[in-house]
Amino acid sequence: MKDNPTPSGVPDRLLAVRQIFGEFALVAVLGAAFAFAANQISPLGLALTRNYFPTGTSPSVRLSAGDTNSGPVSPTQFLARQMQEKGLQLLDDNQTARLFRDPRFKQDIIIFVDARDEDRYQRGHIPGAYEFDPYHPEKYFDTVLPLCQKAEQIVVYCNGGDCDDSESAALLLRDVGISNQKLFVFGGGITEWMTNNLPVETGARNSGNLRKPNP
Amino acid sequence: MDAAAVLARWLLGAVFLYMGLSKALHPVDFLKLLRQYDLVQSSLLVNSMAATLPWFEVFCGLLLLLGVAVRGTALALLFMLAPFTVLVFHRALLLQSALAIPFCAVKFDCGCGSGTEFICRKLLENFLLFALSIALLPGRGYQFSLRFNLIKPPAS
């Protein structure tokens, strides 16, 4: 492109740059309007004013939790400390498996709550666990809330590891009136459950499609 | 040369359309990934970013595929790519230091819409997208465009 002055005396190159930035501004404004409208229309859209993370701490903060002056902190220790601060109780895999085998589990006196999304739940959950995605709680409150009110112990889990959806779900249940004393979080989540060769159910709750543990 | 520029425009458009849709269809997953960066504390701002960025990418992808406001769109992509590449790089450094592994062995889902990837591959991809966006700025690849210039170009 040449730098010849136009009749107005402004070089071509400068006009071209102005044109690109002008177009960019238009794209930005129209794109933002499109994006907000699409989010509003989409059934999967996010509610802008909602706090999706009542747990507060992001995984990146967890990542650097070992760099404190008090020495290295394992993810389990960090999780336990965080649960304690929130008034929740952390379960390990043995305690969770014991509750799963407890006869009260069959009577819904002990219930398991799966805090992952529908797709992951369908692909495999702890047999008999109720689905409760904390990002779309309105879909599950009708089923899960009365059960939680009646139950004596509620075990909430998600994927395990960095996942804090179980914590979010437990806090959500606490916020709608379920006592802290009843709420337990299985920190290892479905990953640890499967690693321990415990049974997994696919599809809907009580579908009967059980994936047996490996011999 | 112009055929290559048209192909570059289509490729860039298709990539952004795909990456945008893959995030827009799983907004909660994208929100969680975005939260890893600790960009802002306000949930309203994080939610707004997670809700709009994927659709904005879809919008830009469509504009490039159709050939509308190509140069302005390419500039918008550069403004999106540059800060996110810096953020991804910074997060990779954090992970590298936490896990004590070589930089290129760091693998994570950066929230870019392409799933879990090795960082060096991701940076290379971003560099290529960056190069393609820059290549469109001078005004090449106008064939098969609906309206290449949304604003009338200066008379020469």
Side-chain angles (χ1 to χ4, degrees):
Chain A
M1 191 174 291
K2 291 171 192 167
D3 265 344
N4 295 335
T6 56
S8 63
V10 184
D12 281 354
R13 193 182 296 255
L14 186 60
L15 284 175
V17 170
R18 271 192 205 166
Q19 183 215 351
I20 294 174
F21 273 89
E23 222 171 58
F24 160 72
L26 262 178
V27 168
V29 171
L30 293 175
F34 171 84
F36 275 107
N39 179 64
Q40 283 299 113
I41 293 166
S42 167
L44 302 166
L46 296 173
L48 300 186
T49 52
R50 194 175 136 195
N51 180 10
Y52 285 93
F53 306 105
T55 53
T57 314
S58 77
S60 64
V61 176
R62 287 181 178 202
L63 183 75
S64 54
D67 302 334
T68 56
N69 292 333
S70 56
V73 178
S74 72
T76 315
Q77 285 172 312
F78 182 77
L79 197 60
R81 197 188 295 169
Q82 204 177 1
M83 294 291 160
Q84 210 173 13
E85 281 168 16
K86 304 266 162 57
L88 301 170
Q89 299 152 84
L90 186 66
L91 292 181
D92 63 22
D93 48 348
N94 285 327
Q95 293 167 314
T96 308
R98 216 174 299 135
L99 288 175
F100 177 72
R101 293 190 192 104
D102 193 307
R104 291 176 300 163
F105 175 57
K106 299 278 179 208
Q107 302 155 13
D108 276 349
I109 296 171
I110 295 170
I111 62 168
F112 278 57
V113 171
D114 188 312
R116 298 171 305 148
D117 62 26
E118 191 177 351
D119 186 40
R120 290 181 177 100
Y121 178 89
Q122 294 281 332
R123 275 189 269 148
H125 53 266
I126 295 178
Y130 290 92
E131 189 182 346
F132 182 73
D133 177 355
Y135 300 99
H136 300 98
E138 63 285 348
K139 280 169 72 178
Y140 306 99
F141 268 144
D142 284 352
T143 318
V144 173
L145 206 51
L147 288 159
C148 289
Q149 281 158 348
K150 282 183 202 156
E152 286 173 9
Q153 283 174 303
I154 303 154
V155 181
V156 191
Y157 70 92
C158 56
N159 277 333
D162 252 356
C163 165
D164 57 0
D165 294 341
S166 48
E167 206 180 321
S168 298
L171 290 175
L172 206 58
L173 290 171
R174 185 196 66 182
D175 291 345
V176 293
I178 305 298
S179 162
N180 265 1
Q181 305 303 314
K182 299 205 276 186
L183 288 166
F184 298 85
V185 172
F186 171 32
I190 194 75
T191 309
E192 205 165 284
W193 184 265
M194 288 165 81
T195 308
N196 290 338
N197 285 330
L198 289 161
V200 169
E201 183 178 47
T202 56
R205 182 176 179 270
N206 289 341
S207 64
N209 300 326
L210 286 183
R211 228 187 293 153
K212 300 273 188 215
N214 296 329
Chain B
M1 190 61 179
D2 273 346
V6 172
L7 284 177
R9 173 164 66 79
W10 284 344
L11 178 65
L12 197 60
V15 167
F16 271 87
L17 184 64
Y18 170 78
M19 293 203 303
L21 277 179
S22 66
K23 285 179 276 194
L25 297 178
H26 302 97
V28 171
D29 287 348
F30 180 54
L31 177 66
K32 286 186 211 171
L33 291 169
L34 203 57
R35 193 173 66 122
Q36 291 178 355
Y37 293 101
D38 277 329
L39 291 174
V40 283
Q41 292 303 312
S42 154
S43 55
L44 176 69
L45 284 178
V46 182
N47 293 352
S48 299
M49 286 170 78
T52 56
L53 272 177
W55 288 112
F56 189 79
E57 286 181 11
V58 169
F59 182 75
C60 290
L62 285 173
L63 290 186
L64 288 182
L65 285 173
L66 296 171
V68 178
V70 172
R71 293 196 287 178
T73 306
L75 187 61
L77 295 186
L78 284 175
F79 281 138
M80 279 199 294
L81 277 170
F84 267 94
T85 304
V86 172
L87 285 172
V88 167
F89 180 72
H90 178 68
R91 174 135 181 87
L93 284 178
L94 274 177
L95 285 166
Q96 183 205 8
S97 131
L99 302 170
I101 54 173
F103 183 73
C104 282
V106 172
K107 190 181 181 188
F108 68 108
D109 188 342
C110 61
C112 309
S114 46
T116 304
E117 269 190 275
F118 285 107
I119 182 61
C120 289
R121 186 189 154 143
K122 183 72 231 168
L123 290 176
L124 182 66
E125 275 173 18
N126 278 18
F127 173 77
L128 288 174
L129 294 176
F130 215 83
L132 287 177
S133 303
I134 288 176
L136 292 177
L137 284 179
R140 287 193 291 263
Y142 56 84
Q143 290 93 341
F144 307 107
S145 294
L146 278 184
R147 188 159 176 177
F148 193 85
N149 295 306
L150 209 57
I151 295 175
K152 201 180 164 200
S156 51

